Amino acid sequence: MFKRKIYDQILNWKKSRNHKPLIISGLRQIGKTTIVENFAKENYESVIKLDFRKDASLHEIFDGDFDINTIIFSLSLKNSEYKFIPNKTCLIFDELQDCPNARSSLKYFALDGRFDVICTGSLLGIKNYRHTKKPFRGIPVGFEDYLLMKPMDFEEFLWANSIDQSIIDNLKQCIEKNTQVNTFIHQKMLGLFNRYICIGGMPEVVDAYVNSNDFNEVRKIQRRILQSFEADFGTHLNDHNEIIVDDNAKAKIIATFKSIPHQLAKDNQKFQYSAIVKNAKGKEYKTAIEWLEDYGLISRCYNLTLPELPFDSFVTQNYFKIYAADSGLFIAMLDDNIPDLIINNKLKIAKGAIYENIVADAFSKLGRKLYFYHKNSGLEIDFITSFHKEVALVEVKSKDGNAKAAKEILKNKEKYQVNKLIKLTAQNIGINENIYTYPYYLTSFIFKDE
C-alpha cells in the first residue's frame, strides 16, 4: 500500500476528543477503502467491515430501530466472528451511499460513544442519489466528521517512486529560502513531473507504472477506469434503494465529459455548451456538469469580474472553464502518442492546456477553489489565487513566456490591487521584485499552507 497523506488526517481524527463518526468521500478507485482498512487494522483491536454494496442484506439491519445494542446484536447474529470491544473497535461502513439508513444511524453511534465508525463513499453528494420513497430518516447533521480524499498528488507520487525524503525536504527548503534547486535534481524532478502528468494519481495506475514502467499497461488501466466511471454515469437509487441508470442523463454526462479536451484546446477556453453537441443548451447540460463535479471527476474554474479578495464576491457564475480532476485520466482521453511527446519534451500542440490542467489539479488537491480572470479586450490570466495572504496572478507557461497580460495588471495600480505574479514554467526558482518564477513540479509545495 502506498503512503498517503490522508492517513495522518485520520489519525488526528482518532486522537481528537469526542470525535464523531468519520465519512471519507471522493472519486472511486482512489484507495479510500484500502487506506481505511489499513488504518483500522493498525489502530484497533477489532475491525468490522460492512460493505453495503456487496451485501444488500445488511440494509435490513438498519431499517429497524437505531438502538445501538440492537444493531450490534443483529450484526453478531449475522457473523459470529464479529467482536464488539468497547473503545477498541472500528466499524467500517463501506459504500455508505448505498444504505441511507446506515448513515442516519451515525447519530446514535456518536451518542453511544463505545465504537468508532469510519465510512467510505463515492456518490454521497450527487443530487437525487438518496432521494427514495423507501423510509429514510435523514442525514445526522452535527454528528459526522468529514474528510475528502483525492487521487495521489505529486509528493505522494514521489513517495511511491521511492524518492528519498531528504530530496523532497530540500525542495521545500529551496522555496523557503528562495534559492535554486540543484541543477541535477531540477532536471530529475522535471522528468518525474512529466511522468506524473501522464500517469496521474490513481493508485492502481501508479502501482502499474512503479512495478512495470510500462506505459502501455498504464494506458490500458486508465482507459478501463474511465470505462468503469462511465458505467456509473447517470446512476441513482430507485424507490427500493436499488441502483438504476437514467439513460438520458447518462448520454449527456458522457458527452459533456468527453468534450473537455476540446474545450481546453480552444483559444477561448470558456466552457461552451455548443462544443458538447451542436445547438446544445445550458439548461439541458447544466445537470451533467453538476453530476461530474459531485462525482469528483472535474473541477470548475470561475471567471472573476475583478482579481480581488474575497474571490467569491467577484465570481461570474455562468463563465467558467472545466478541468479534469486527474491528469493521467485526462491524458488517457487524448491520442496514444501524447505521453511519449510529453515525456520527451516534444509536445507543442495543446501543451498549454495540459500544463494548465495539472496546475488546476494541484490546486484542487490542496483544497483551493479555482478562479481565472478574463476580459473581452483579450486580457486573460490563467489562475487567480492567494499567495502569502495576498492576491496573486498565476501564469502557466509552456515555455519561458513574458506574461504580458499579467505585467499589464501589475503596472495598473489604480485599477488593480495586485502586487504578485507567479510564473510556473520549466525554469528553476527565480525572484525578480514581485515576479516569482517556479518550476511546475513545485506547485503543490508553494501553495500548500494557505
Side-chain angles (χ1 to χ4, degrees):
M1 188 194 80
F2 294 125
K3 179 182 177 183
R4 302 297 300 273
K5 293 179 180 179
I6 200 169
Y7 187 100
D8 288 338
Q9 296 175 13
I10 304 172
L11 186 60
N12 289 337
W13 163 82
K14 185 179 187 302
K15 290 178 179 178
S16 63
R17 294 183 60 188
N18 302 319
H19 56 258
K20 304 162 187 174
L22 176 64
I23 296 179
I24 300 176
S25 61
L27 186 64
R28 286 197 181 281
Q29 301 185 52
I30 58 172
K32 297 185 298 296
T33 301
T34 299
I35 199 75
V36 168
E37 287 181 338
N38 186 63
F39 176 85
K41 290 175 183 177
E42 292 180 356
N43 291 277
Y44 294 89
E45 187 173 327
S46 177
V47 179
I48 297 167
K49 179 185 174 185
L50 308 179
D51 187 333
F52 292 112
R53 175 159 296 187
K54 183 178 180 181
D55 187 354
S57 67
L58 288 168
H59 297 203
E60 297 177 3
I61 293 174
F62 294 88
D63 287 342
D65 293 335
F66 285 156
D67 174 72
I68 300 304
N69 286 328
T70 301
I71 293 175
I72 290 170
F73 179 72
S74 299
L75 291 172
S76 297
L77 288 177
K78 184 172 178 59
N79 191 329
S80 60
E81 295 183 0
Y82 288 163
K83 295 180 180 179
F84 293 89
I85 307 170
N87 303 313
K88 296 181 179 180
T89 299
C90 179
L91 283 85
I92 300 174
F93 286 8
D94 201 26
E95 302 290 2
L96 178 66
Q97 72 281 343
D98 285 3
C99 185
N101 282 333
R103 186 172 185 183
S104 300
S105 76
L106 296 180
K107 172 181 178 179
Y108 302 94
F109 276 100
L111 293 172
D112 182 89
R114 287 176 291 167
F115 312 104
D116 281 354
V117 184
I118 304 179
C119 312
T120 67
S122 298
L123 298 172
L124 297 175
I126 290 184
K127 292 181 179 180
N128 298 323
Y129 191 84
R130 294 184 304 269
H131 293 181
T132 72
K133 295 179 182 177
K134 188 172 180 178
F136 165 46
R137 282 163 279 182
I139 294 173
V141 178
F143 292 91
E144 302 171 335
D145 290 326
Y146 303 92
L147 285 175
L148 177 62
M149 189 172 179
K150 301 259 186 170
M152 298 168 71
D153 66 14
F154 183 56
E155 186 172 14
E156 290 172 320
F157 180 78
L158 293 178
W159 292 339
N161 282 273
S162 302
I163 301 300
D164 193 276
Q165 185 62 43
S166 64
I167 295 177
I168 299 173
D169 291 340
N170 178 259
L171 296 177
K172 297 176 182 179
Q173 289 171 8
C174 289
I175 296 171
E176 292 173 5
K177 297 178 181 179
N178 295 326
T179 57
Q180 290 202 336
V181 178
N182 172 276
T183 301
F184 175 80
I185 295 176
H186 173 66
Q187 293 300 326
K188 176 74 171 177
M189 287 297 142
L190 284 174
L192 283 166
F193 191 71
N194 281 343
R195 283 168 171 74
Y196 174 64
I197 290 174
C198 301
I199 295 162
M202 303 301 288
E204 185 182 1
V205 179
V206 175
D207 184 66
Y209 168 73
V210 169
N211 288 301
S212 70
N213 202 29
D214 184 347
F215 269 89
N216 289 325
E217 181 66 16
V218 163
R219 203 161 182 81
K220 182 171 71 175
I221 295 172
Q222 288 171 329
R223 287 180 168 169
R224 174 169 52 76
I225 290 173
L226 286 172
Q227 288 173 353
S228 72
F229 288 165
E230 287 187 13
D232 275 345
F233 291 176
T235 57
H236 63 280
L237 297 180
N238 67 7
D239 295 344
H240 305 287
N241 281 356
E242 298 168 334
I243 300 172
I244 62 171
V245 178
D246 182 330
D247 289 331
N248 184 48
K250 184 185 185 77
K252 287 183 170 62
I253 295 168
I254 290 175
T256 301
F257 183 63
K258 288 187 174 180
S259 78
I260 293 175
H262 173 61
Q263 301 275 3
L264 292 178
K266 297 188 282 85
D267 289 336
N268 178 4
Q269 294 178 332
K270 174 187 176 182
F271 189 88
Q272 296 175 322
Y273 294 101
S274 60
I276 302 174
V277 293
K278 188 176 181 179
N279 298 322
K281 304 297 182 182
K283 62 182 180 181
E284 298 175 338
Y285 286 86
K286 179 181 177 182
T287 302
I289 294 174
E290 292 172 349
W291 203 103
L292 289 165
E293 200 169 28
D294 289 335
Y295 190 70
L297 203 45
I298 65 169
S299 297
R300 260 193 277 200
C301 182
Y302 288 96
N303 186 39
L304 300 177
T305 55
L306 274 177
E308 293 185 12
L309 289 167
F311 296 134
D312 282 340
S313 297
F314 300 95
V315 161
T316 307
Q317 291 291 339
N318 61 349
Y319 197 138
F320 55 87
K321 297 186 284 189
I322 286 181
Y323 294 102
D326 180 79
S327 176
L329 296 181
F330 176 62
I331 298 300
M333 298 170 70
L334 307 179
D335 294 341
D336 286 341
N337 65 330
I338 296 298
D340 182 65
L341 294 175
I342 292 174
I343 290 169
N344 291 295
N345 292 312
K346 294 180 179 180
L347 184 66
K348 294 181 180 179
I349 299 176
K351 184 175 182 179
I354 287 172
Y355 278 81
E356 277 187 42
N357 194 91
I358 193 67
V359 170
D361 187 21
F363 281 165
S364 179
K365 288 185 170 82
L366 290 169
R368 287 175 175 250
K369 293 181 180 180
L370 302 179
Y371 308 99
F372 73 107
Y373 183 58
H374 173 84
K375 292 184 65 177
N376 292 333
S377 62
L379 185 71
E380 181 162 339
I381 308 299
D382 296 332
F383 298 101
I384 306 293
T385 193
S386 58
F387 182 68
H388 296 167
K389 304 187 185 304
E390 294 183 32
V391 176
L393 314 176
V394 178
E395 288 280 69
V396 184
K397 296 298 180 183
S398 57
K399 296 182 179 180
D400 295 344
N402 59 13
K404 182 179 179 181
K407 289 178 180 178
E408 181 179 332
I409 290 177
L410 292 178
K411 288 189 295 185
N412 194 343
K413 300 296 184 183
E414 293 183 2
K415 185 173 182 178
Y416 303 103
Q417 303 299 313
V418 182
N419 298 307
K420 288 184 171 65
L421 164 62
I422 312 296
K423 288 171 57 179
L424 299 173
T425 75
Q427 291 180 297
N428 211 318
I429 295 175
I431 298 176
N432 181 10
E433 296 182 351
N434 55 352
I435 300 177
Y436 298 71
T437 300
Y438 293 104
Y440 309 114
Y441 60 79
L442 290 181
T443 302
S444 58
F445 301 120
I446 300 164
F447 300 98
K448 180 178 180 181
D449 296 325
E450 295 191 31

